[in-house]
Amino acid sequence: MRKTSEETKSTKDVRRDLAQALLDHIDNGTAPWQKQWDPSVGDDTPINAVTGKKYRGINNFWLMLNQPGSDPRWCTFKQAQANDWKIRKGSHGTTVEKWLVVEKSKEIDVDGQIATLEEKQLVVRFYNVFHASQIEGIPELIRPTAEISLEPDPRVSEIFTKMGVSLSLGGNRAYYSPDSDVIQMPPLEAFSTASDYDTVLLHEIGHATGHKSRLNRDLHNTFGTPAYAQEELRAEISAAMNARVLGIAFDPSRVDDAERSGIENFAAYLKSWLSALPEQDRKPELMSAITSAQKISDYVLSFTYSAKT
């Protein structure tokens, strides 16, 4: 039987392609987490058009980079066919990966007796998905009316309160202190909008997940080291993820402004750090940061039950 394109791909190929695309976007300042997001157009996080489930991790970023317009819906050819939708002629799918736990049996010799050993293996499958704009007959996207608040989002306060992190207001800098487990924030009036305040607070909450009582990452890293840059990348990406889920306008430049301390621009710093890495290290570092950011996002969102899903 002839193998399909999905079967002949490998995890290494898909992740290499994604990493290169993200590095190119970082160079241009247009990576998904570097672009300001306007919640008035609705949550644009990629979802499956049939199940309504959000794509996660690597798939999330890959589809965001390939997503034309703000419609977040994607599905496979079979899903479209099952719903009497038609993929437009000439359309090319976008590859996503799905990890599955498969149970397998094998026979082993135990003291001369043949025994059957059941074991579980993690395997990956690849599928091509098509965007809503490539599908004829798909229903029109209906979005709920966006709620733009002039007050900080109470769900963000709910998160750090339930996490057990203390908040201190004052000064002109934002940072997280792992020794005292305190987030330091400028006062609300120092921000142009409530969303700017929420953006920075989500970033610092991302750092706070690394406390030894939570996800236990080493946060005592010196500026300029790979470990410091990796932590900043994790916090920046996870904050963007959480802002989208919560429906909060996200402007990463506000994090640069609030965290500035002899560092002109964190986005430029992260770009220069990635560029300075040996070629063979850039892509694995970026993929590792995305995987960690997804774990941080999952952890943070577990403390709020009113996220817009």
Side-chain angles (χ1 to χ4, degrees):
M1 183 176 68
R2 188 169 64 89
K3 290 187 176 181
T4 66
S5 59
E6 286 88 347
E7 291 173 328
T8 56
K9 286 182 177 292
S10 70
T11 307
K12 187 175 181 180
D13 292 336
V14 172
R15 297 193 174 206
R16 183 192 62 223
D17 292 345
L18 170 59
Q20 187 56 59
L22 283 172
L23 290 170
D24 292 342
H25 280 274
I26 289 172
D27 285 340
N28 296 321
T30 58
W33 63 87
Q34 291 178 306
K35 296 184 290 185
Q36 184 174 352
W37 179 65
D38 179 0
S40 66
V41 300
D43 185 358
D44 62 351
T45 304
I47 62 172
N48 185 278
V50 176
T51 66
K53 292 184 178 180
K54 293 178 183 289
Y55 290 94
R56 295 165 49 80
I58 304 301
N59 292 335
N60 175 39
F61 280 93
W62 187 234
L63 294 180
M64 284 175 69
L65 288 177
N66 288 280
Q67 189 161 283
S70 60
D71 192 325
R73 296 174 298 170
W74 299 76
C75 72
T76 65
F77 178 87
K78 287 185 177 180
Q79 286 178 319
Q81 193 176 47
N83 284 276
D84 294 324
W85 305 336
K86 184 178 179 182
I87 306 298
R88 288 193 171 91
K89 188 176 181 179
S91 296
H92 295 283
T94 301
T95 303
V96 295
E97 62 183 48
K98 183 175 183 179
W99 290 87
L100 304 168
V101 176
V102 177
E103 294 188 359
K104 291 189 174 182
S105 302
K106 69 176 182 180
E107 293 184 343
I108 57 174
D109 187 310
V110 180
D111 298 328
Q113 299 277 335
I114 300 299
T116 301
L117 177 66
E118 301 289 340
E119 60 179 17
K120 295 181 179 180
Q121 293 183 352
L122 197 60
V123 299
V124 64
R125 298 285 185 265
F126 296 96
Y127 301 89
N128 280 333
V129 292
F130 297 85
H131 184 254
S133 62
Q134 299 173 301
I135 304 171
E136 295 177 358
I138 191 170
E140 181 181 354
L141 177 65
I142 300 175
R143 295 186 182 277
T145 303
E147 298 177 7
I148 307 299
S149 174
L150 299 178
E151 298 293 330
D153 195 306
R155 293 170 298 174
V156 180
S157 298
E158 178 184 32
I159 290 168
F160 73 75
T161 299
K162 289 183 176 179
M163 280 176 59
V165 185
S166 299
L167 178 67
S168 176
L169 297 175
N172 60 0
R173 284 188 58 210
Y175 59 87
Y176 168 68
S177 171
D179 293 327
S180 55
D181 197 22
V182 172
I183 292 175
Q184 178 68 47
M185 288 281 291
L188 179 60
E189 54 268 25
F191 295 86
S192 301
T193 68
S195 292
D196 290 344
Y197 176 87
D198 291 331
T199 288
V200 177
L201 189 49
L202 282 172
H203 179 95
E204 301 309 330
I205 286 173
H207 285 311
T209 64
H211 190 268
K212 60 184 179 182
S213 66
R214 300 181 189 102
L215 299 183
N216 193 25
R217 299 189 305 276
D218 183 6
L219 299 177
H220 295 85
N221 303 307
T222 304
F223 173 72
T225 62
Y228 183 97
Q230 183 75 305
E231 176 61 24
E232 282 301 322
L233 195 52
R234 291 188 198 105
E236 189 170 325
I237 297 172
S238 65
M241 287 177 169
N242 291 334
R244 278 180 161 82
V245 172
L246 293 170
I248 296 171
F250 183 79
D251 185 353
S253 67
R254 299 308 180 211
V255 178
D256 294 340
D257 293 339
E259 284 200 338
R260 184 174 293 138
S261 176
I263 307 165
E264 273 307 303
N265 186 298
F266 270 113
Y269 161 65
L270 293 173
K271 174 183 172 181
S272 64
W273 166 69
L274 282 168
S275 299
L277 289 174
E279 182 70 32
Q280 68 271 19
D281 294 340
R282 294 176 196 170
K283 296 172 184 178
E285 286 282 352
L286 189 53
M287 293 300 96
S288 174
I290 291 173
T291 300
S292 295
Q294 182 72 71
K295 292 178 181 178
I296 291 172
S297 177
D298 290 343
Y299 181 84
V300 168
L301 293 176
S302 71
F303 291 96
T304 180
Y305 300 98
S306 52
K308 297 175 183 177
T309 55

